[in-house]
Amino acid sequence: MKRCLLLLLFSTILFPAKSVCGEENNTASSTEKTVDFKKQILPIFQAKCLDCHDENTQESKFRLDRKSALLQGGDSGEPAIILGDSQQSHLMKLVRGEEPDHVMPPDEDERLSSTQIQLLKMWIDQGANWPGPNGIVTQEKKKSDHWSFQPLKKIKPPVITGDDAKWIANGIDAFIIRKLHQKQIPHNNMADRRTLIRRIYLDILGLPPTPEQVQRFLDDDSPDAYQKLVDKTLSSPHYGERWARHWLDLVRFAETHGFETNRERPNAWPYRDYVIQSFNDDKPYDQFIKEQIAGDSFGSTIGTGYLVAGPYDLVKSPDINLTLMQRHNELDDMINTTGTAFLGLTLGCARCHNHKFDPITQTDYYSLQAIFAGVKHGDRNLPVPESRQKELERTVKQIAKLQLELEKYRPSKEKPTKLVESSGKNPLREPVQSIHNVERFVPTQAKFVRFTIRATNSSEPCLDELQIFTGNENVALAKTGAVATCSSSLPGYAIHQLKHINDGKFGNSHSWISHQNGAGWVQIELPKLSFIDRIEWGRDREGRYTDRLAVDYVIEVSRDKKQWKTVASSKDRLPFALSKPKSKTKSATYSFEHLSGEQAKAAKRLLSELQKSQKKLKSLQNGPKVYAGQFVQPGPTHRLYRGEPLAKREQVSPDAPEIFTELNLKTDSPEAERRKRLAEWIASPDNPLTPRVIVNRIWQFHFGQGFVTTPSDFGSGGVPPTHPELLDWLAGELISHHWSLKHIHRLILNSATYQQSGKPSKQAMQIDAASQYWWRFPARRLAAEPIRDSILAVSGSLNLQAGGPGFSAFEVDAENVRHYHPKSSYSSEDFRRMIYMTKVRMEQDSVFGLFDCPDAASSVAKRSRSTTPLQAMNLFNSTFLLQQADLFAKRLKKEKPNVLTDQINLAYQLCYSRSPTQTEQEDAGKFITQYQLQAFCRAILNSNEFLFLQ
């Protein structure tokens, strides 16, 4: 890009200084004049090359006759100029030779003179005047006529007449039949009922129907029998277990970190269960999106497991450049997955340069990075149940009460000192703790108490309940008349407002956060002038959060708000260290030697109660966790030249791609607000990409391929839809039905298109062998999960235990670098559905992993369907299959003892949802007689009819 951009620019300004400035050596006079670009420079541009192309690729790079081109730059994403700042302008750096490998013009004898460089510098510093509105260069609003970026069209299904009108079951069929007419392709007839029930069970539930379920459907002669079957399958809890797998592929979910250590994530599984439950509950898709990007703002702690579902490199490099690159790779994973999964855009392609095909700039990419910059990998506490919350609050109060009663037994050297300033000879106190800090001082008369924070361990400071005591009475409570004021409060968060500083409630959800990074003050005016001797405070009394902790602070009191006196500060504390809060009271802290026997016994009982309460508090604080990320307020985000972490350019604001919208966020916007705004835009009904992408995915998972065969690339590099109007109609149906995914399922499943036979037609095959116009139901091999689950189901060994920690397919060497060895034997615990198999990144189940399971290294929108000898060998000879074949044979003998024909018939009913033909019955009998029933079961579990959806 540099060479192309500057060959254009500098080939047009390689002119004698005299022709521009009048006098070749009149530098002084040039600096005093305003450069008239229209008269002095633009005519020369117009006389030269205006459209620069790469001679090798013929790609258009840059146009200097357009205002926006100068500001946007070429493919590298580097703006040619920065208005008013020639020092930082890429153009100036190259003409000055600041980048030796990219000096422009490249030929030494054509380099610009110092006068020409000075002229260019003046023009940029003066604001780069340009012909046009007010003669000023401004960034033009980008536009695109690409199909997927256009608003959804309000479309009605076409009207179909004639015999085909009778075939149509709903709007889907009208669009399909019209396209078939255009292509002169006849559609197939409806499949028989046995085929339909098996198809819908395997497609929606990932399990075959039982013979009893098949028979009930066959016996139901009501006109809506099939519609009832559709509703029944969609209401089954097994629906979520099957369709969650599609989503987990998309969001690269796994329960290990990946990379060389590949350590476990023991708290990742709740996200998997969250996805399953969301599908079963038919959670509106827009809400589903919001909860995954910003669940902490939308009431779902677990949902943000999406953000950190990808790989994470635990081993950090001592090389700062490599460490920064690791962090940028983590953020790239979040950006790219968000783009592909929700929007069908390859946003990651703009990391090092502007996107080659789509109007996504490098600035857009780093604006998105600014949104995710505060997301860190790690566990987060799940919300505490109300009963547990109340118990925790009672325990905290009990600890404070016991500490106060034990105060008189503290050694004299730990008794309160007059003031912090006079305590230099005393030992330093322990560092501040996030849970609870006590400031003791001699009784002091005060009407106003001000807590000023000068530094925190991260982000804006947070205080959870500021308590001011006169003896045992907290005189700071709002309900007693105390009034709180502050420097500022973090906007947009009801749980972090000033009113919570003295509302008598503990916990992060009842706390105050300043709107100033690392600083702020809060003040409480007491109801009356009072003698106070103790102040208690913390960042989070529940112990769930340790960020935003005041580590440098001062507490002052005043009688009249004019004269202030310091009563406590961090000056006499040890430096803050990132460690777990230490127990505030140990037996060595108190002295009972001077007490009488009974007094000492009573004091020790108090100490014992305190220690029990502290232990109880620790237990209450160590609640369930989920691997759903940790959030901190990020620092500035810069665009990176060529994606190099140390090559920072201008700072960018958090934002969505400019071509679509503006989020109107500031560079210092709160971290959660950034993700919240992005989620709201992605899930907006005005965003045409989101509904198009998800209905295309649903269609693909039902039929094997979507209208857009590049399901995660709806950009210019992707394939246009075969049925654009049907795609938009379904997208509109999704939005108008409250983003219900089950509504889209019902439309598809109830359509005549879905109910067609899968049989090939010679005439249709000659025109559309790939069935991309859906003249038949495309038969295809089942995915790994339905194959494994179906084998377990027909053998009678399927364990339907739902949810919770998964089972492992491996024996693990728990070394620093984990080694995963396939299991050699299996028990009932291993016979749960495959969705509950612990997903190990970069490792595959020894039998079914070969059936094209993703390795969770990145988002997978569409699994490949390969056919390999190893698949056949594993499915025929593996320990797992041999065990299941044996269990299958035992089931047949148990349910149909002694009668071979009945055993064969049951096997066919279980595996194929039909009875064997006479020929099949005879051949099976001969085979079993020669090779035994177990071998027959092994063969039938390997048959195409069992392994295919048709």
Side-chain angles (χ1 to χ4, degrees):
M1 168 266 169
K2 292 178 182 175
R3 182 176 180 84
C4 293
L5 183 156
L6 290 163
L7 276 173
L8 168 62
L9 183 57
F10 298 115
S11 65
T12 57
I13 59 176
L14 291 176
F15 46 82
K18 182 177 181 180
S19 66
V20 177
C21 302
E23 298 289 339
E24 185 169 350
N25 297 319
N26 192 19
T27 305
S29 62
S30 297
T31 60
E32 296 172 359
K33 298 179 181 179
T34 299
V35 177
D36 189 330
F37 186 69
K38 183 175 181 181
K39 292 181 179 179
Q40 296 174 306
I41 298 176
L42 187 60
I44 301 175
F45 284 174
Q46 292 171 334
K48 301 285 184 178
C49 169
L50 285 177
D51 194 1
C52 182
H53 287 74
D54 187 305
E55 294 181 358
N56 295 320
T57 66
Q58 293 301 305
E59 292 180 5
S60 180
K61 299 293 182 182
F62 195 75
R63 288 186 64 90
L64 280 175
D65 60 344
R66 293 178 182 171
K67 300 177 186 180
S68 59
L70 276 170
L71 298 177
Q72 181 175 317
D75 287 347
S76 75
E78 198 77 2
I81 64 172
I82 298 175
L83 297 182
D85 192 352
S86 61
Q87 188 67 25
Q88 296 300 320
S89 294
H90 188 52
L91 179 62
M92 297 304 300
K93 293 180 181 181
L94 297 180
V95 300
R96 288 174 177 146
E98 293 179 18
E99 297 191 24
D101 295 335
H102 299 280
V103 179
M104 296 301 292
D107 296 332
E108 191 171 348
D109 57 351
E110 294 182 351
R111 303 278 165 78
L112 271 67
S113 68
S114 59
T115 302
Q116 293 167 339
I117 293 174
Q118 179 64 19
L119 179 64
L120 192 60
K121 176 181 181 298
M122 289 167 51
W123 176 63
I124 295 172
D125 286 338
Q126 291 171 6
N129 290 332
W130 187 279
N134 303 317
I136 302 296
V137 177
T138 56
Q139 181 79 41
E140 295 176 356
K141 178 68 177 177
K142 291 188 292 183
K143 297 179 181 179
S144 173
D145 58 1
H146 184 62
W147 72 268
S148 68
F149 299 167
Q150 308 312 308
L152 290 175
K153 298 176 181 178
K154 293 184 178 179
I155 296 173
K156 292 183 178 180
V159 176
I160 305 298
T161 58
D163 291 340
D164 283 329
K166 299 176 183 178
W167 179 76
I168 295 172
N170 60 31
I172 289 174
D173 304 321
F175 290 104
I176 293 295
I177 199 68
R178 183 175 66 178
K179 182 72 73 171
L180 291 175
H181 284 168
Q182 293 171 359
K183 299 295 180 180
Q184 297 183 335
I185 303 173
H187 64 78
N188 267 6
N189 295 323
M190 184 179 290
D192 62 80
R193 279 199 169 192
R194 290 183 183 273
T195 299
L196 285 176
I197 187 172
R198 188 170 189 276
R199 177 187 298 172
I200 199 171
Y201 263 70
L202 289 171
D203 183 14
I204 297 298
L205 307 181
L207 294 168
T210 65
E212 294 76 21
Q213 290 167 333
V214 173
Q215 194 59 47
R216 278 196 296 270
F217 179 53
L218 295 176
D219 293 341
D220 187 351
D221 56 3
S222 61
D224 62 345
Y226 180 75
Q227 288 73 23
K228 288 189 292 186
L229 177 66
V230 168
D231 290 341
K232 182 179 179 181
T233 53
L234 288 175
S235 63
S236 169
H238 301 316
Y239 155 72
E241 291 174 331
R242 174 67 193 116
W243 280 74
R245 184 67 263 170
H246 297 311
W247 188 258
L248 297 178
D249 284 359
L250 270 174
V251 301
R252 77 280 186 238
F253 172 79
E255 295 169 76
T256 64
H257 290 308
F259 293 95
E260 64 269 26
T261 58
N262 211 9
R263 293 286 190 87
E264 300 86 348
R265 291 179 182 172
N267 298 314
W269 61 265
Y271 174 76
R272 173 248 291 154
D273 286 358
Y274 158 83
V275 175
I276 293 172
Q277 195 59 48
S278 295
F279 281 139
N280 281 333
D281 293 343
D282 196 22
K283 181 175 290 181
Y285 184 62
D286 59 341
Q287 181 68 18
F288 186 55
I289 293 171
K290 293 175 185 176
E291 289 179 358
Q292 292 182 88
I293 297 174
D296 48 325
S297 296
F298 292 102
S300 175
T301 301
I302 300 175
T304 55
Y306 153 78
L307 295 170
V308 291
Y312 176 61
D313 194 351
L314 282 172
V315 182
K316 304 305 179 187
S317 170
D319 185 333
I320 183 61
N321 194 41
L322 292 177
T323 300
L324 287 172
M325 185 63 76
Q326 286 175 313
R327 176 58 181 158
H328 282 283
N329 287 343
E330 292 169 18
L331 295 173
D332 182 72
D333 171 65
M334 298 176 202
I335 295 167
N336 203 37
T337 304
T338 299
T340 55
F342 297 117
L343 300 170
L345 293 177
T346 54
L347 298 175
C349 294
R351 179 177 177 178
C352 302
H353 49 71
N354 291 343
H355 201 291
K356 295 292 185 182
F357 305 109
D358 298 329
I360 308 296
T361 67
Q362 195 188 24
T363 299
D364 290 333
Y365 175 90
Y366 285 99
S367 292
L368 284 164
Q369 188 189 87
I371 289 175
F372 295 111
V375 181
K376 306 283 188 180
H377 276 260
D379 289 330
R380 211 158 77 245
N381 289 306
L382 285 169
V384 178
E386 186 176 351
S387 58
R388 189 186 186 98
Q389 170 76 19
K390 291 181 178 178
E391 182 65 18
L392 194 148
E393 290 178 4
R394 284 194 296 267
T395 305
V396 170
K397 291 177 180 177
Q398 176 69 6
I399 289 173
K401 178 183 176 183
L402 291 168
Q403 286 176 331
L404 185 62
E405 290 184 43
L406 285 164
E407 174 65 25
K408 55 190 173 185
Y409 303 122
R410 297 177 70 198
S412 58
K413 67 177 183 179
E414 295 187 17
K415 289 293 176 77
T417 54
K418 275 191 174 183
L419 291 174
V420 172
E421 286 76 8
S422 65
S423 61
K425 295 181 180 180
N426 292 309
L428 292 177
R429 295 187 293 159
E430 65 178 4
V432 292
Q433 305 293 341
S434 60
I435 295 179
H436 189 217
N437 299 284
V438 180
E439 312 290 347
R440 297 181 178 88
F441 42 87
V442 295
T444 304
Q445 201 170 34
K447 171 74 168 157
F448 301 92
V449 178
R450 186 167 61 200
F451 192 120
T452 303
I453 300 150
R454 298 182 293 210
T456 66
N457 64 342
S458 66
S459 307
E460 301 92 340
C462 177
L463 287 179
D464 171 17
E465 198 65 22
L466 185 60
Q467 298 174 296
I468 304 169
F469 287 93
T470 296
N472 293 330
E473 181 186 1
N474 178 11
V475 294
L477 289 168
K479 64 183 180 182
T480 65
V483 178
T485 53
C486 63
S487 54
S488 62
S489 292
L490 188 65
Y493 296 90
I495 64 173
H496 296 310
Q497 297 306 297
L498 176 63
K499 64 182 180 180
H500 297 306
I501 196 69
N502 61 339
D503 61 0
K505 298 178 181 178
F506 294 144
N508 181 68
S509 58
H510 298 279
S511 61
W512 166 77
I513 295 182
S514 166
H515 191 36
Q516 185 178 354
N517 194 23
W521 58 264
V522 65
Q523 178 179 292
I524 293 181
E525 180 182 355
L526 304 178
K528 61 182 179 181
L529 195 64
S530 304
F531 278 97
I532 61 174
D533 58 8
R534 187 172 86 260
I535 293 174
E536 299 186 19
W537 63 278
R539 183 269 179 258
D540 178 12
R541 298 290 187 94
E542 295 176 352
R544 296 171 57 203
Y545 295 90
T546 58
D547 61 343
R548 304 178 185 274
L549 175 62
V551 295
D552 185 0
Y553 64 89
V554 61
I555 300 175
E556 301 165 287
V557 299
S558 175
R559 295 164 55 94
D560 54 8
K561 284 185 70 175
K562 294 179 181 179
Q563 294 184 336
W564 293 87
K565 182 169 70 171
T566 299
V567 293
S569 79
S570 54
K571 184 178 179 181
D572 67 338
R573 288 188 180 273
L574 289 166
F576 172 75
L578 289 173
S579 59
K580 293 184 178 180
K582 298 177 182 178
S583 175
K584 296 191 69 64
T585 51
K586 298 180 181 179
S587 56
T589 306
Y590 302 99
S591 175
F592 308 128
E593 295 175 358
H594 61 289
L595 301 177
S596 65
E598 287 300 318
Q599 289 176 325
K601 192 178 293 184
K604 289 177 181 179
R605 276 198 300 269
L606 286 176
L607 179 58
S608 177
E609 288 181 39
L610 175 63
Q611 291 169 339
K612 287 178 182 177
S613 295
Q614 289 173 328
K615 186 177 180 180
K616 181 179 179 181
L617 178 63
K618 186 176 181 180
S619 175
L620 288 169
Q621 290 165 348
N622 293 334
K625 297 180 182 295
V626 59
Y627 196 87
Q630 298 170 354
F631 308 123
V632 298
Q633 183 66 21
T637 299
H638 297 266
R639 185 178 61 82
L640 302 182
Y641 180 50
R642 293 181 176 178
E644 294 291 337
L646 297 179
K648 292 182 179 180
R649 292 300 190 259
E650 74 279 1
Q651 185 177 353
V652 298
S653 299
D655 212 340
E658 183 188 0
I659 188 71
F660 301 117
T661 190
E662 292 182 9
L663 300 182
N664 299 315
L665 290 164
K666 298 179 180 179
T667 54
D668 62 348
S669 291
E671 189 279 331
E673 184 66 16
R674 304 178 186 206
R675 290 180 289 108
K676 180 174 180 284
R677 293 274 189 93
L678 177 66
E680 289 172 337
W681 168 68
I682 291 176
S684 168
D686 297 326
N687 185 337
L689 284 167
T690 304
R692 282 181 177 135
V693 168
I694 190 59
V695 298
N696 184 71
R697 294 195 193 282
I698 294 174
W699 187 276
Q700 170 200 308
F701 294 138
H702 280 301
F703 288 100
Q705 71 176 20
F707 308 114
V708 179
T709 55
T710 51
S712 286
D713 189 357
F714 273 46
S716 299
V719 177
T722 56
H723 298 69
E725 291 182 333
L726 175 52
L727 179 64
D728 273 17
W729 182 74
L730 285 172
E733 283 287 309
L734 176 70
I735 295 172
S736 64
H737 286 77
H738 310 291
W739 296 83
S740 167
L741 298 183
K742 285 189 177 182
H743 174 68
I744 303 303
H745 285 303
R746 285 190 179 90
L747 286 172
I748 293 173
L749 296 172
N750 284 314
S751 70
T753 304
Y754 183 85
Q755 296 177 63
Q756 291 179 103
S757 163
K759 292 180 180 179
S761 160
K762 184 176 181 180
Q763 178 185 349
M765 291 288 285
Q766 290 176 340
I767 303 171
D768 180 25
S771 304
Q772 65 177 350
Y773 297 110
W774 292 285
W775 53 269
R776 66 166 177 162
F777 182 84
R780 58 192 183 276
R781 195 202 70 212
L782 292 170
E785 291 82 3
I787 292 176
R788 184 182 189 275
D789 295 348
S790 295
I791 290 172
L792 292 169
V794 301
S795 73
S797 59
L798 180 62
N799 178 353
L800 289 175
Q801 177 188 340
F807 67 95
S808 179
F810 301 95
E811 295 172 355
V812 185
D813 288 343
E815 301 173 359
N816 180 49
V817 175
R818 298 292 194 257
H819 299 286
Y820 297 89
H821 307 287
K823 280 186 174 179
S824 55
S825 61
Y826 305 92
S827 65
S828 60
E829 174 64 22
D830 303 309
F831 297 157
R832 297 174 68 189
R833 296 200 67 176
M834 195 170 173
I835 187 76
Y836 299 115
M837 179 187 289
T838 299
K839 182 66 177 176
V840 178
R841 207 178 304 274
M842 308 305 294
E843 297 284 351
Q844 297 286 13
D845 170 72
S846 60
V847 181
F848 299 96
L850 290 171
F851 286 85
D852 309 304
C853 286
D855 60 11
S858 60
S859 173
V860 172
K862 184 179 180 180
R863 293 189 185 185
S864 58
R865 284 194 295 273
S866 63
T867 302
T868 69
L870 282 177
Q871 291 171 348
M873 291 178 67
N874 264 3
L875 208 56
F876 199 69
N877 295 321
S878 65
T879 302
F880 179 87
L881 200 287
L882 291 173
Q883 183 181 19
Q884 291 304 311
D886 186 57
L887 291 171
F888 188 15
K890 290 178 180 177
R891 176 184 183 179
L892 297 177
K893 291 177 180 178
K894 180 180 179 180
E895 295 186 20
K896 301 294 180 182
N898 305 322
V899 183
L900 183 59
T901 54
D902 289 349
Q903 293 170 357
I904 295 170
N905 185 64
L906 179 58
Y908 270 73
Q909 293 285 354
L910 289 168
C911 292
Y912 304 150
S913 300
R914 66 175 179 84
S915 298
T917 64
Q918 184 63 36
T919 302
E920 289 171 334
Q921 181 73 257
E922 292 172 359
D923 289 344
K926 293 176 183 178
F927 182 89
I928 294 170
T929 300
Q930 184 174 359
Y931 297 106
Q932 302 301 315
L933 185 58
Q934 195 266 4
F936 167 74
C937 292
R938 185 175 164 199
I940 201 171
L941 293 177
N942 276 269
S943 62
N944 280 348
E945 188 172 351
F946 179 72
L947 299 174
F948 270 68
L949 178 67
Q950 52 193 337

